Amino acid sequence: MTDERTARTARAFDAYERRFAAARAAQRLRDPAQPADKAEILETARQVLGVRDEWIPEIAPIAVRDEPFSGYTVSHLTYRSWPHCCGAASLYRPDGGGRRPLVLVCPGHGEEGRLTDCYQRMAQRLALQGAYVLVNDNLGQGARERFGHWDCVAPFYCGISLQGMIVMETLAWVRYLAQQDFVDASRIGACGNSGGGTLTLFLAALCPQLAAVSSSGFPSEFGYILQKERRHCACNLLPHSAGRLEMWELFSCFAPRPLMLEQGSLDNLIPID
């Protein structure tokens, strides 16, 4: 009986690996420098995520309170994106005010969402260097719901994805911030690690307003993520992406703007090789 179970498991994994290998072998090599190929890459990304321009919401933030620190002030915000969909964000304002660059710090899966220590420290550092900084709680995280991604495959049944909703909400934030008098709209950047590296990957392709992007702790291959060789949050799973889209294509669409990709040498989810 044990031998039969082992054989069934081997056959299942063999079929699984062959499906991914066939999808990879059938994938056409595209050149993001060519307008037609770039347009195809971007359209495929929208399809995989379930992103539609008409579904991008309008952000309506409300200032709850300001908290002063040495060199900067934090404005704690609540906001509405889609109807009945509310969130929380923190806007770091450097002393002196005026028109300045703005950086989106995109959180990963921290226990406290945007209030996780490492994201706060990154925002503080950037604010002290003279930039405005927005740190937003993504759907299912932080003040919205702590690690609420346990059922994040449910949107697939509606033809969308949780990751696509996070991307659309972030695009809405960029549009809102680019219209504010205190923001230099020509110098808006985004950085993120882990889950924030996922978000910045798609922002690099789908957010033309960004002037610079730094993505870490995620850049690799979609096939590697989909095969679940490590225990990733299911928000990283995107239907119909195998054999249709690859990360290097999306990052290449950001050219010729500045892009920095990083990977930690001790990252056990996505090994450096």
Side-chain angles (χ1 to χ4, degrees):
M1 184 64 177
T2 301
D3 289 344
E4 176 56 29
R5 287 179 177 175
T6 301
R8 285 201 302 266
T9 301
R11 287 194 294 270
F13 274 98
D14 181 68
Y16 187 66
E17 296 290 345
R18 287 176 183 274
R19 289 177 64 188
F20 277 104
R24 178 66 186 89
Q27 187 167 349
R28 185 173 70 85
L29 180 62
R30 295 177 290 210
D31 181 358
Q34 301 302 316
D37 280 0
K38 181 176 180 179
E40 182 180 315
I41 292 166
L42 298 181
E43 179 56 28
T44 303
R46 293 187 187 97
Q47 291 175 8
V48 165
L49 288 166
V51 166
R52 298 185 187 178
D53 288 342
E54 62 269 27
W55 290 351
I56 297 174
E58 292 186 7
I59 296 293
I62 299 172
V64 177
R65 64 186 175 91
D66 287 345
E67 191 173 4
F69 294 91
S70 177
Y72 63 93
T73 297
V74 180
S75 294
H76 299 283
L77 312 173
T78 59
Y79 66 92
R80 176 186 57 77
S81 52
W82 295 280
H84 312 296
C85 186
C86 299
S90 299
L91 179 64
Y92 291 69
R93 300 174 177 267
D95 287 353
R99 190 176 176 85
R100 296 171 182 255
L102 180 137
V103 179
L104 283 84
V105 171
C106 303
H109 293 76
E111 285 284 355
E112 302 293 337
R114 76 188 192 285
L115 300 181
T116 302
D117 179 66
C118 57
Y119 306 128
Q120 288 197 68
R121 285 190 281 114
M122 175 62 77
Q124 292 162 7
R125 180 173 186 137
L126 289 166
L128 290 173
Q129 291 177 331
Y132 293 102
V133 185
L134 182 84
V135 193
N136 175 49
D137 274 336
N138 292 325
L139 288 163
Q141 291 181 273
R144 304 176 104 166
E145 184 177 354
R146 300 181 78 181
F147 282 105
H149 290 177
W150 59 273
D151 196 27
C152 62
V153 298
F156 295 170
Y157 295 102
C158 303
I160 58 176
S161 67
L162 174 63
Q163 195 61 242
M165 295 177 71
I166 292 172
V167 169
M168 287 190 285
E169 200 172 69
T170 308
L171 293 173
W173 265 114
V174 173
R175 291 180 180 182
Y176 168 81
L177 292 165
Q179 295 174 354
Q180 304 309 302
D181 292 341
F182 61 87
V183 175
D184 181 349
S186 68
R187 293 195 293 170
I188 298 177
C191 63
N193 178 67
S194 190
T198 310
L199 177 53
T200 48
L201 163 70
F202 290 108
L203 292 178
L206 301 177
C207 189
Q209 296 96 330
L210 293 180
V213 164
S214 173
S215 184
S216 64
F218 185 75
S220 52
E221 294 181 348
F222 282 125
Y224 180 82
I225 303 297
L226 289 168
Q227 287 172 273
K228 298 288 281 184
E229 294 194 21
R230 296 291 192 276
R231 189 176 178 180
H232 291 268
C233 179
C235 69
N236 286 338
L237 300 179
L238 299 172
H240 310 299
S241 58
R244 297 185 64 208
L245 192 65
E246 201 42 86
M247 294 190 197
W248 72 266
E249 295 178 314
L250 295 174
F251 282 125
S252 295
C253 288
F254 197 68
R257 292 164 287 172
L259 171 70
M260 181 168 70
L261 306 182
E262 302 170 90
Q263 187 60 34
S265 60
L266 300 180
D267 191 325
N268 63 350
L269 287 178
I270 302 177
I272 196 166
D273 61 336

